[in-house]
Amino acid sequence: MRAGFQLGVLLFAGLYSYYAFTDLSWLSSASRLGPAFFPRIIGVALVALCAWSLVAEWRAPGERVAEHWRASLVLALLSGMFVAVLDVLGGLLAMVLFMAGALAWFNRGRWVQNVLLSLLLPGGMYLLFKVWLNAGVPRGMLLPF
Amino acid sequence: MDLFSNLLLGFSVAVSPMNLAYMLIGVFIGMVVGIIPGFGPSAALAVLLPITFGMDPAGAVIMLAAIYYGSQYGGTITSILLNTPGESSSVASTFDGYPLAQQGRAGPALVMQAVSSFVGGTLGVVLITLLALPFSQVARSFGPPEFFLLVVMGLSTLIVMIGGNWRLGLISALLGFALGTVGVDLETGNTRFTFGSAELIGGVDFIPVAIGLFGLGELYYAFWSGLHVSGSGGIVQYQKEKRFWPTRRDYAESNGALVRGSFLGFVVGVLPGAGATVASLMSYSVEKSLSKTPEKFGKGAMAGLVGPESANNAASSGAMVPLLTLGIPGSASTAVLLAAFVLWGLTPGPLLMASKPEFAWGLIASMYLGNMALLALNVFAIPLFVQMIKLPYRLLAPAVILVCTLGTYSVNGSIVETWLMFGAGIVGFFMKLHGYSPAALVLALVLGPLAEQSLRQSLTISQGSLAIFVERPVSLTILTLTCAMLIGGLLMRRARRPR
């Protein structure tokens, strides 16, 4: 998995450098250092270091044992879904559903506690952001809050 | 204005009822953040930054700064009672703090850590008071070469000193620089890496990236490590009776360590990139090497707890010097503070002390009061914080995700930025998992535009010659200091390596 991530970073570095070398000019119209100057240095250094790290990884792999990968995956999926439904369902409903889902998975069996937290915490958060701070909370397509 | 009238002006700002309330809220949140393992001050500052939007600028920054230095106090409580540092800067406090607790001396250890944090933090603020103005006057003579070298110094020190794989740290910093180049090129007005997207013309916003990397990324990693299932069963009980208070011998053994740790911590904190963790580890090494009984270290030596504690608090005060006087943050936490300054229309740097004295001195004055409040909180509210250690992570994490998501959205009302935060969270998780440095990425993202601009200006002034970095006395000094810190850092890494 570590080598895969390093490969991903190398790919990003390659694309970044490609863009810096093909689409940006080294000198400006006033013959000063142009918009490509810094990105090209960064890109070349990134590619070189990523390649070096990948070789080092290949020679001495340092894989870590994933003990609780399922928990972090579920948390990431739930938070991704939360962001996805935020402006569809609206901030308040999305928060209630996210809390209910997360607590049902991670705090199993404590139904009363979970229901109370799923209602009270999003309610408090809504009041904090919308009423007290007057900050923007996504409005849903189904409900006005 | 002289020092006294500046400080008086600062106190008149800091003691206003609202600012006092914000400071107290900040130190309390800082304590709570400090005692939660796996959730550092950078994450807390990034997550809570949007919440300060409804406040007045001075109050907002006073509260955020209080969270920052307050977290240094809280991190040690878990080091002593649980052998788990709440913050990386409290690692050294586990070496002797936990053995003291096991010997039934948790009470004296907790009180001594509070006292040493107070002395370190307050001495740090005294030194800021004395040095900030002269420092900012010197900094006014700095040109592009000096600013570029200061950025290089901060990042290279962070990469070398923080431990782990330096190559991956450097890659992280370069990724931050790369993200920093997205948007309009300030010199020519050309757009770069925007791919026709209007959202990217203004560049990659720092706040969603910081909230994602430190907030979500840390949570995913904490779950991956099993923090949501591990309880606080190993917590050492302490007695709130006669044996709760330190003895005269404890104070006598700690006096030297307290003073040395405070001064060492402040100096390390002022250097961009070094920070509280390095300061506390250096202080521990110094105390052990100076001690007449080094064999007691690691088995419950009070000096081994007091030195690092005063050092990490003095370092967190010291880190405010480059931030206030140069506009250069030395760590991820101070980078978030810089973002807060900018959001409020304040430009930290050599002119801040002169153009906004009420703000700069108000912040400094609030730090005196904050340290006093933290001392009282640490001594008298320990039972409350011990209860908080027991708060299960599985309940805490979803609540933090709510704040992260809603906080990011509320900055600009942008769902694209909320997705950016989520993406940064996933990347942050993998970075932490595989030994990369999210802190270096964030710091480079903040400092990238300054680094690019100052490098290009330097080379334009010198007509392409790199000699400009060694010809000017100040830049040569910074360069020499950077080399010395890099060599020192490499030697420290070699010494730490298992034989």
Side-chain angles (χ1 to χ4, degrees), chain B residues 141-159:
Chain B
S141 64
F142 284 12
E146 287 77 23
F147 275 104
F148 175 71
L149 288 174
L150 279 169
V151 173
V152 172
M153 180 184 183
L155 279 169
S156 49
T157 314
L158 180 75
I159 291 162

Side-chain angles (χ1 to χ4, degrees), chain A residues 19, chain B residues 182-184 191-204 414 416-417:
Chain A
Y19 183 90
Chain B
V182 175
V184 176
T191 54
R192 300 183 295 190
F193 306 101
T194 57
F195 307 104
S197 159
E199 294 264 358
L200 288 175
I201 288 176
V204 175
S414 163
V416 175
E417 286 184 1

Side-chain angles (χ1 to χ4, degrees), chain B residues 76-157:
Chain B
T76 314
I77 295 180
T78 50
S79 294
I80 293 170
L81 295 180
L82 209 57
N83 202 24
T84 306
E87 301 305 324
S88 58
S89 57
S90 305
V91 169
S93 307
T94 59
F95 302 160
D96 284 287
Y98 189 63
L100 277 166
Q102 283 180 313
Q103 292 160 20
R105 305 206 68 223
L110 288 166
V111 175
M112 286 307 289
Q113 75 86 16
V115 171
S116 48
S117 296
F118 171 74
V119 172
T122 305
L123 202 71
V125 187
V126 171
L127 291 172
I128 297 178
T129 310
L130 296 174
L131 298 177
L133 204 56
F135 214 82
S136 69
Q137 280 159 353
V138 172
R140 281 184 212 173
S141 64
F142 284 12
E146 287 77 23
F147 275 104
F148 175 71
L149 288 174
L150 279 169
V151 173
V152 172
M153 180 184 183
L155 279 169
S156 49
T157 314

Side-chain angles (χ1 to χ4, degrees), chain B residues 181-233:
Chain B
T181 59
V182 175
V184 176
D185 172 29
L186 293 175
E187 299 263 322
T188 60
N190 293 3
T191 54
R192 300 183 295 190
F193 306 101
T194 57
F195 307 104
S197 159
E199 294 264 358
L200 288 175
I201 288 176
V204 175
D205 198 353
F206 163 79
I207 295 173
V209 174
I211 293 179
L213 285 177
F214 296 129
L216 287 192
E218 293 276 357
L219 287 179
Y220 298 156
Y221 184 75
F223 270 56
W224 188 90
S225 323
L227 259 178
H228 63 297
V229 285
S230 62
S232 50

Side-chain angles (χ1 to χ4, degrees), chain B residues 413-452:
Chain B
S414 163
I415 202 74
V416 175
E417 286 184 1
T418 318
W419 276 113
L420 175 64
M421 182 255 341
F422 175 66
I426 302 288
V427 172
F429 164 71
F430 282 109
M431 286 183 79
K432 205 152 165 55
L433 186 63
H434 298 311
Y436 289 77
S437 168
L441 190 153
V442 164
L443 204 54
L445 174 61
V446 172
L447 295 175
L450 173 67
E452 176 176 13

